[in-house]
PDB file of all heavy atoms in Angstrom:
ATOM      1  N   ALA A 186     119.189-123.244 -18.276  1.00 97.00           N
ATOM      2  CA  ALA A 186     118.090-123.084 -17.346  1.00 97.00           C
ATOM      3  C   ALA A 186     116.825-123.782 -17.743  1.00 97.00           C
ATOM      4  O   ALA A 186     116.116-124.361 -16.927  1.00 97.00           O
ATOM      5  CB  ALA A 186     117.832-121.556 -17.133  1.00 97.00           C
ATOM      6  N   LEU A 187     116.538-123.802 -19.035  1.00 98.00           N
ATOM      7  CA  LEU A 187     115.336-124.477 -19.535  1.00 98.00           C
ATOM      8  C   LEU A 187     115.472-125.992 -19.200  1.00 98.00           C
ATOM      9  O   LEU A 187     114.612-126.572 -18.602  1.00 98.00           O
ATOM     10  CB  LEU A 187     115.164-124.298 -21.045  1.00 98.00           C
ATOM     11  CG  LEU A 187     113.863-125.003 -21.498  1.00 98.00           C
ATOM     12  CD1 LEU A 187     112.644-124.035 -21.343  1.00 98.00           C
ATOM     13  CD2 LEU A 187     113.947-125.453 -22.969  1.00 98.00           C
ATOM     14  N   LEU A 188     116.553-126.616 -19.600  1.00 98.00           N
ATOM     15  CA  LEU A 188     116.651-128.067 -19.425  1.00 98.00           C
ATOM     16  C   LEU A 188     116.812-128.425 -17.915  1.00 98.00           C
ATOM     17  O   LEU A 188     116.193-129.381 -17.431  1.00 98.00           O
ATOM     18  CB  LEU A 188     117.787-128.653 -20.248  1.00 98.00           C
ATOM     19  CG  LEU A 188     117.590-128.650 -21.774  1.00 98.00           C
ATOM     20  CD1 LEU A 188     118.710-129.393 -22.461  1.00 98.00           C
ATOM     21  CD2 LEU A 188     116.197-129.244 -22.133  1.00 98.00           C
ATOM     22  N   ASP A 189     117.484-127.603 -17.179  1.00 98.00           N
ATOM     23  CA  ASP A 189     117.588-127.859 -15.725  1.00 98.00           C
ATOM     24  C   ASP A 189     116.194-127.766 -15.086  1.00 98.00           C
ATOM     25  O   ASP A 189     115.841-128.583 -14.249  1.00 98.00           O
ATOM     26  CB  ASP A 189     118.540-126.837 -15.053  1.00 98.00           C
ATOM     27  CG  ASP A 189     120.017-127.151 -15.262  1.00 98.00           C
ATOM     28  OD1 ASP A 189     120.327-128.257 -15.720  1.00 98.00           O
ATOM     29  OD2 ASP A 189     120.781-126.208 -15.124  1.00 98.00           O
ATOM     30  N   GLY A 190     115.369-126.802 -15.500  1.00 97.00           N
ATOM     31  CA  GLY A 190     114.050-126.627 -15.001  1.00 97.00           C
ATOM     32  C   GLY A 190     113.162-127.824 -15.351  1.00 97.00           C
ATOM     33  O   GLY A 190     112.395-128.336 -14.503  1.00 97.00           O
ATOM     34  N   VAL A 191     113.309-128.305 -16.554  1.00 98.00           N
ATOM     35  CA  VAL A 191     112.455-129.473 -16.972  1.00 98.00           C
ATOM     36  C   VAL A 191     112.912-130.711 -16.209  1.00 98.00           C
ATOM     37  O   VAL A 191     112.023-131.440 -15.693  1.00 98.00           O
ATOM     38  CB  VAL A 191     112.571-129.652 -18.495  1.00 98.00           C
ATOM     39  CG1 VAL A 191     111.851-130.972 -18.870  1.00 98.00           C
ATOM     40  CG2 VAL A 191     111.992-128.514 -19.280  1.00 98.00           C
ATOM     41  N   ILE A 192     114.169-130.847 -16.098  1.00 98.00           N
ATOM     42  CA  ILE A 192     114.707-132.112 -15.424  1.00 98.00           C
ATOM     43  C   ILE A 192     114.228-132.111 -13.957  1.00 98.00           C
ATOM     44  O   ILE A 192     113.824-133.152 -13.421  1.00 98.00           O
ATOM     45  CB  ILE A 192     116.250-132.140 -15.509  1.00 98.00           C
ATOM     46  CG1 ILE A 192     116.706-132.513 -16.929  1.00 98.00           C
ATOM     47  CG2 ILE A 192     116.880-133.099 -14.498  1.00 98.00           C
ATOM     48  CD1 ILE A 192     118.120-132.183 -17.285  1.00 98.00           C
ATOM     49  N   ALA A 193     114.147-130.936 -13.344  1.00 98.00           N
ATOM     50  CA  ALA A 193     113.741-130.892 -11.934  1.00 98.00           C
ATOM     51  C   ALA A 193     112.230-131.225 -11.805  1.00 98.00           C
ATOM     52  O   ALA A 193     111.779-131.564 -10.735  1.00 98.00           O
ATOM     53  CB  ALA A 193     113.972-129.521 -11.372  1.00 98.00           C
ATOM     54  N   LEU A 194     111.456-131.079 -12.872  1.00 98.00           N
ATOM     55  CA  LEU A 194     109.975-131.210 -12.792  1.00 98.00           C
ATOM     56  C   LEU A 194     109.557-132.625 -13.160  1.00 98.00           C
ATOM     57  O   LEU A 194     108.373-132.961 -12.940  1.00 98.00           O
ATOM     58  CB  LEU A 194     109.304-130.181 -13.687  1.00 98.00           C
ATOM     59  CG  LEU A 194     109.236-128.775 -13.090  1.00 98.00           C
ATOM     60  CD1 LEU A 194     108.914-127.739 -14.159  1.00 98.00           C
ATOM     61  CD2 LEU A 194     108.230-128.700 -11.943  1.00 98.00           C
ATOM     62  N   VAL A 195     110.411-133.470 -13.775  1.00 98.00           N
ATOM     63  CA  VAL A 195     109.941-134.770 -14.194  1.00 98.00           C
ATOM     64  C   VAL A 195     110.524-135.896 -13.391  1.00 98.00           C
ATOM     65  O   VAL A 195     111.636-135.810 -12.877  1.00 98.00           O
ATOM     66  CB  VAL A 195     110.236-135.040 -15.735  1.00 98.00           C
ATOM     67  CG1 VAL A 195     109.593-133.943 -16.551  1.00 98.00           C
ATOM     68  CG2 VAL A 195     111.714-135.160 -16.019  1.00 98.00           C
ATOM     69  N   PRO A 196     109.728-136.990 -13.186  1.00 97.00           N
ATOM     70  CA  PRO A 196     110.234-138.105 -12.343  1.00 97.00           C
ATOM     71  C   PRO A 196     111.229-138.916 -13.035  1.00 97.00           C
ATOM     72  O   PRO A 196     111.405-138.833 -14.281  1.00 97.00           O
ATOM     73  CB  PRO A 196     108.902-138.850 -12.133  1.00 97.00           C
ATOM     74  CG  PRO A 196     107.973-138.490 -13.183  1.00 97.00           C
ATOM     75  CD  PRO A 196     108.369-137.098 -13.622  1.00 97.00           C
ATOM     76  N   LYS A 197     111.869-139.801 -12.297  1.00 97.00           N
ATOM     77  CA  LYS A 197     112.922-140.701 -12.825  1.00 97.00           C
ATOM     78  C   LYS A 197     112.329-141.581 -13.969  1.00 97.00           C
ATOM     79  O   LYS A 197     111.219-142.174 -13.778  1.00 97.00           O
ATOM     80  CB  LYS A 197     113.423-141.589 -11.650  1.00 97.00           C
ATOM     81  CG  LYS A 197     114.580-142.439 -11.978  1.00 97.00           C
ATOM     82  CD  LYS A 197     115.061-143.157 -10.705  1.00 97.00           C
ATOM     83  CE  LYS A 197     116.089-144.256 -11.041  1.00 97.00           C
ATOM     84  NZ  LYS A 197     117.335-143.713 -11.525  1.00 97.00           N
ATOM     85  N   SER A 198     113.026-141.636 -15.066  1.00 98.00           N
ATOM     86  CA  SER A 198     112.479-142.336 -16.253  1.00 98.00           C
ATOM     87  C   SER A 198     113.548-142.337 -17.340  1.00 98.00           C
ATOM     88  O   SER A 198     114.601-141.673 -17.209  1.00 98.00           O
ATOM     89  CB  SER A 198     111.262-141.566 -16.758  1.00 98.00           C
ATOM     90  OG  SER A 198     111.654-140.153 -17.041  1.00 98.00           O
ATOM     91  N   ALA A 199     113.290-143.079 -18.445  1.00 98.00           N
ATOM     92  CA  ALA A 199     114.164-142.985 -19.556  1.00 98.00           C
ATOM     93  C   ALA A 199     114.154-141.678 -20.184  1.00 98.00           C
ATOM     94  O   ALA A 199     115.205-141.149 -20.629  1.00 98.00           O
ATOM     95  CB  ALA A 199     113.827-144.106 -20.523  1.00 98.00           C
ATOM     96  N   VAL A 200     112.995-141.042 -20.256  1.00 98.00           N
ATOM     97  CA  VAL A 200     112.899-139.690 -20.749  1.00 98.00           C
ATOM     98  C   VAL A 200     113.779-138.738 -19.866  1.00 98.00           C
ATOM     99  O   VAL A 200     114.517-137.880 -20.427  1.00 98.00           O
ATOM    100  CB  VAL A 200     111.412-139.122 -20.773  1.00 98.00           C
ATOM    101  CG1 VAL A 200     111.373-137.619 -21.044  1.00 98.00           C
ATOM    102  CG2 VAL A 200     110.647-139.916 -21.821  1.00 98.00           C
ATOM    103  N   GLY A 201     113.679-138.851 -18.581  1.00 98.00           N
ATOM    104  CA  GLY A 201     114.481-137.971 -17.707  1.00 98.00           C
ATOM    105  C   GLY A 201     115.957-138.254 -17.897  1.00 98.00           C
ATOM    106  O   GLY A 201     116.764-137.309 -17.961  1.00 98.00           O
ATOM    107  N   ALA A 202     116.369-139.547 -18.072  1.00 98.00           N
ATOM    108  CA  ALA A 202     117.791-139.816 -18.356  1.00 98.00           C
ATOM    109  C   ALA A 202     118.223-139.210 -19.688  1.00 98.00           C
ATOM    110  O   ALA A 202     119.357-138.654 -19.773  1.00 98.00           O
ATOM    111  CB  ALA A 202     117.959-141.364 -18.351  1.00 98.00           C
ATOM    112  N   GLY A 203     117.342-139.267 -20.668  1.00 98.00           N
ATOM    113  CA  GLY A 203     117.686-138.686 -21.965  1.00 98.00           C
ATOM    114  C   GLY A 203     117.781-137.178 -21.842  1.00 98.00           C
ATOM    115  O   GLY A 203     118.651-136.564 -22.503  1.00 98.00           O
ATOM    116  N   LEU A 204     116.961-136.536 -21.014  1.00 98.00           N
ATOM    117  CA  LEU A 204     117.088-135.098 -20.841  1.00 98.00           C
ATOM    118  C   LEU A 204     118.330-134.701 -20.155  1.00 98.00           C
ATOM    119  O   LEU A 204     118.959-133.667 -20.500  1.00 98.00           O
ATOM    120  CB  LEU A 204     115.854-134.583 -20.001  1.00 98.00           C
ATOM    121  CG  LEU A 204     114.519-134.632 -20.757  1.00 98.00           C
ATOM    122  CD1 LEU A 204     113.375-134.436 -19.779  1.00 98.00           C
ATOM    123  CD2 LEU A 204     114.544-133.548 -21.834  1.00 98.00           C
ATOM    124  N   ARG A 205     118.845-135.492 -19.189  1.00 98.00           N
ATOM    125  CA  ARG A 205     120.131-135.227 -18.516  1.00 98.00           C
ATOM    126  C   ARG A 205     121.238-135.301 -19.582  1.00 98.00           C
ATOM    127  O   ARG A 205     122.174-134.507 -19.597  1.00 98.00           O
ATOM    128  CB  ARG A 205     120.347-136.109 -17.360  1.00 98.00           C
ATOM    129  CG  ARG A 205     119.488-135.639 -16.129  1.00 98.00           C
ATOM    130  CD  ARG A 205     119.877-136.365 -14.878  1.00 98.00           C
ATOM    131  NE  ARG A 205     119.567-137.784 -14.928  1.00 98.00           N
ATOM    132  CZ  ARG A 205     118.396-138.339 -14.686  1.00 98.00           C
ATOM    133  NH1 ARG A 205     117.411-137.527 -14.296  1.00 98.00           N
ATOM    134  NH2 ARG A 205     118.145-139.637 -14.770  1.00 98.00           N
ATOM    135  N   ARG A 206     121.169-136.297 -20.400  1.00 98.00           N
ATOM    136  CA  ARG A 206     122.182-136.428 -21.538  1.00 98.00           C
ATOM    137  C   ARG A 206     122.067-135.217 -22.446  1.00 98.00           C
ATOM    138  O   ARG A 206     123.100-134.721 -22.926  1.00 98.00           O
ATOM    139  CB  ARG A 206     121.861-137.667 -22.280  1.00 98.00           C
ATOM    140  CG  ARG A 206     123.067-138.514 -22.604  1.00 98.00           C
ATOM    141  CD  ARG A 206     122.579-139.863 -23.094  1.00 98.00           C
ATOM    142  NE  ARG A 206     123.730-140.644 -23.407  1.00 98.00           N
ATOM    143  CZ  ARG A 206     123.731-141.839 -23.965  1.00 98.00           C
ATOM    144  NH1 ARG A 206     122.568-142.376 -24.293  1.00 98.00           N
ATOM    145  NH2 ARG A 206     124.788-142.487 -24.198  1.00 98.00           N
ATOM    146  N   ALA A 207     120.845-134.810 -22.794  1.00 98.00           N
ATOM    147  CA  ALA A 207     120.682-133.620 -23.644  1.00 98.00           C
ATOM    148  C   ALA A 207     121.301-132.433 -23.012  1.00 98.00           C
ATOM    149  O   ALA A 207     121.949-131.560 -23.675  1.00 98.00           O
ATOM    150  CB  ALA A 207     119.205-133.413 -23.890  1.00 98.00           C
ATOM    151  N   ARG A 208     121.203-132.261 -21.706  1.00 98.00           N
ATOM    152  CA  ARG A 208     121.725-131.119 -20.944  1.00 98.00           C
ATOM    153  C   ARG A 208     123.250-131.161 -21.084  1.00 98.00           C
ATOM    154  O   ARG A 208     123.854-130.112 -21.286  1.00 98.00           O
ATOM    155  CB  ARG A 208     121.327-131.252 -19.493  1.00 98.00           C
ATOM    156  CG  ARG A 208     122.020-130.342 -18.504  1.00 98.00           C
ATOM    157  CD  ARG A 208     121.615-128.920 -18.732  1.00 98.00           C
ATOM    158  NE  ARG A 208     122.187-128.006 -17.746  1.00 98.00           N
ATOM    159  CZ  ARG A 208     123.354-127.456 -17.738  1.00 98.00           C
ATOM    160  NH1 ARG A 208     124.195-127.751 -18.734  1.00 98.00           N
ATOM    161  NH2 ARG A 208     123.793-126.588 -16.801  1.00 98.00           N
ATOM    162  N   ASP A 209     123.838-132.397 -20.948  1.00 98.00           N
ATOM    163  CA  ASP A 209     125.315-132.481 -21.118  1.00 98.00           C
ATOM    164  C   ASP A 209     125.769-132.174 -22.565  1.00 98.00           C
ATOM    165  O   ASP A 209     126.950-131.924 -22.725  1.00 98.00           O
ATOM    166  CB  ASP A 209     125.714-133.956 -20.794  1.00 98.00           C
ATOM    167  CG  ASP A 209     125.678-134.253 -19.339  1.00 98.00           C
ATOM    168  OD1 ASP A 209     125.653-133.289 -18.538  1.00 98.00           O
ATOM    169  OD2 ASP A 209     125.649-135.448 -18.978  1.00 98.00           O
ATOM    170  N   MET A 210     124.890-132.313 -23.502  1.00 98.00           N
ATOM    171  CA  MET A 210     125.266-132.100 -24.924  1.00 98.00           C
ATOM    172  C   MET A 210     124.908-130.716 -25.422  1.00 98.00           C
ATOM    173  O   MET A 210     124.975-130.515 -26.682  1.00 98.00           O
ATOM    174  CB  MET A 210     124.687-133.219 -25.782  1.00 98.00           C
ATOM    175  CG  MET A 210     125.166-134.572 -25.336  1.00 98.00           C
ATOM    176  SD  MET A 210     124.651-135.915 -26.439  1.00 98.00           S
ATOM    177  CE  MET A 210     125.920-135.890 -27.692  1.00 98.00           C
ATOM    178  N   LEU A 211     124.494-129.814 -24.606  1.00 97.00           N
ATOM    179  CA  LEU A 211     124.054-128.507 -25.134  1.00 97.00           C
ATOM    180  C   LEU A 211     125.124-127.765 -25.972  1.00 97.00           C
ATOM    181  O   LEU A 211     124.720-127.023 -26.826  1.00 97.00           O
ATOM    182  CB  LEU A 211     123.535-127.635 -24.018  1.00 97.00           C
ATOM    183  CG  LEU A 211     122.123-127.780 -23.545  1.00 97.00           C
ATOM    184  CD1 LEU A 211     121.826-126.866 -22.407  1.00 97.00           C
ATOM    185  CD2 LEU A 211     121.163-127.495 -24.689  1.00 97.00           C
ATOM    186  N   ASP A 212     126.362-128.017 -25.647  1.00 96.00           N
ATOM    187  CA  ASP A 212     127.400-127.297 -26.407  1.00 96.00           C
ATOM    188  C   ASP A 212     127.915-128.107 -27.657  1.00 96.00           C
ATOM    189  O   ASP A 212     128.849-127.610 -28.293  1.00 96.00           O
ATOM    190  CB  ASP A 212     128.540-126.907 -25.501  1.00 96.00           C
ATOM    191  CG  ASP A 212     129.207-128.173 -24.863  1.00 96.00           C
ATOM    192  OD1 ASP A 212     128.651-129.250 -25.050  1.00 96.00           O
ATOM    193  OD2 ASP A 212     130.298-127.988 -24.250  1.00 96.00           O
ATOM    194  N   TYR A 213     127.287-129.161 -27.949  1.00 95.00           N
ATOM    195  CA  TYR A 213     127.707-129.932 -29.160  1.00 95.00           C
ATOM    196  C   TYR A 213     127.301-129.086 -30.366  1.00 95.00           C
ATOM    197  O   TYR A 213     126.225-128.626 -30.504  1.00 95.00           O
ATOM    198  CB  TYR A 213     127.053-131.286 -29.226  1.00 95.00           C
ATOM    199  CG  TYR A 213     127.918-132.379 -28.583  1.00 95.00           C
ATOM    200  CD1 TYR A 213     128.281-132.266 -27.242  1.00 95.00           C
ATOM    201  CD2 TYR A 213     128.274-133.500 -29.291  1.00 95.00           C
ATOM    202  CE1 TYR A 213     129.062-133.310 -26.689  1.00 95.00           C
ATOM    203  CE2 TYR A 213     129.008-134.544 -28.722  1.00 95.00           C
ATOM    204  CZ  TYR A 213     129.374-134.402 -27.468  1.00 95.00           C
ATOM    205  OH  TYR A 213     130.170-135.338 -26.840  1.00 95.00           O
ATOM    206  N   GLY A 214     128.187-129.021 -31.360  1.00 89.00           N
ATOM    207  CA  GLY A 214     127.931-128.281 -32.555  1.00 89.00           C
ATOM    208  C   GLY A 214     127.128-128.987 -33.602  1.00 89.00           C
ATOM    209  O   GLY A 214     126.496-128.330 -34.479  1.00 89.00           O
ATOM    210  N   ASP A 215     127.177-130.294 -33.613  1.00 95.00           N
ATOM    211  CA  ASP A 215     126.585-131.060 -34.676  1.00 95.00           C
ATOM    212  C   ASP A 215     125.273-131.732 -34.268  1.00 95.00           C
ATOM    213  O   ASP A 215     125.308-132.754 -33.571  1.00 95.00           O
ATOM    214  CB  ASP A 215     127.610-132.128 -35.173  1.00 95.00           C
ATOM    215  CG  ASP A 215     126.939-132.999 -36.285  1.00 95.00           C
ATOM    216  OD1 ASP A 215     126.007-132.498 -36.937  1.00 95.00           O
ATOM    217  OD2 ASP A 215     127.491-134.117 -36.460  1.00 95.00           O
ATOM    218  N   PRO A 216     124.134-131.210 -34.695  1.00 97.00           N
ATOM    219  CA  PRO A 216     122.849-131.756 -34.304  1.00 97.00           C
ATOM    220  C   PRO A 216     122.669-133.250 -34.718  1.00 97.00           C
ATOM    221  O   PRO A 216     122.038-134.012 -34.024  1.00 97.00           O
ATOM    222  CB  PRO A 216     121.820-130.903 -35.001  1.00 97.00           C
ATOM    223  CG  PRO A 216     122.526-129.639 -35.291  1.00 97.00           C
ATOM    224  CD  PRO A 216     123.980-129.913 -35.474  1.00 97.00           C
ATOM    225  N   ALA A 217     123.328-133.624 -35.876  1.00 96.00           N
ATOM    226  CA  ALA A 217     123.156-135.013 -36.277  1.00 96.00           C
ATOM    227  C   ALA A 217     123.810-135.985 -35.277  1.00 96.00           C
ATOM    228  O   ALA A 217     123.248-137.101 -35.019  1.00 96.00           O
ATOM    229  CB  ALA A 217     123.778-135.225 -37.675  1.00 96.00           C
ATOM    230  N   THR A 218     124.921-135.610 -34.748  1.00 97.00           N
ATOM    231  CA  THR A 218     125.557-136.413 -33.702  1.00 97.00           C
ATOM    232  C   THR A 218     124.677-136.541 -32.432  1.00 97.00           C
ATOM    233  O   THR A 218     124.486-137.639 -31.895  1.00 97.00           O
ATOM    234  CB  THR A 218     126.935-135.833 -33.301  1.00 97.00           C
ATOM    235  OG1 THR A 218     127.707-135.662 -34.468  1.00 97.00           O
ATOM    236  CG2 THR A 218     127.663-136.698 -32.247  1.00 97.00           C
ATOM    237  N   VAL A 219     124.096-135.424 -32.045  1.00 98.00           N
ATOM    238  CA  VAL A 219     123.270-135.385 -30.845  1.00 98.00           C
ATOM    239  C   VAL A 219     122.018-136.270 -31.104  1.00 98.00           C
ATOM    240  O   VAL A 219     121.597-137.052 -30.268  1.00 98.00           O
ATOM    241  CB  VAL A 219     122.899-133.963 -30.495  1.00 98.00           C
ATOM    242  CG1 VAL A 219     121.883-133.887 -29.346  1.00 98.00           C
ATOM    243  CG2 VAL A 219     124.133-133.198 -30.184  1.00 98.00           C
TER     244      VAL A 219
END
Side-chain angles (χ1 to χ4, degrees):
L187 182 86
L188 290 187
D189 285 342
V191 173
I192 289 164
L194 284 164
V195 301
K197 189 173 168 66
S198 55
V200 168
L204 288 166
R205 284 190 293 277
R206 225 167 180 186
R208 169 71 173 83
D209 285 343
M210 299 186 85
L211 273 177
D212 61 350
Y213 267 58
D215 176 23
T218 304
V219 177

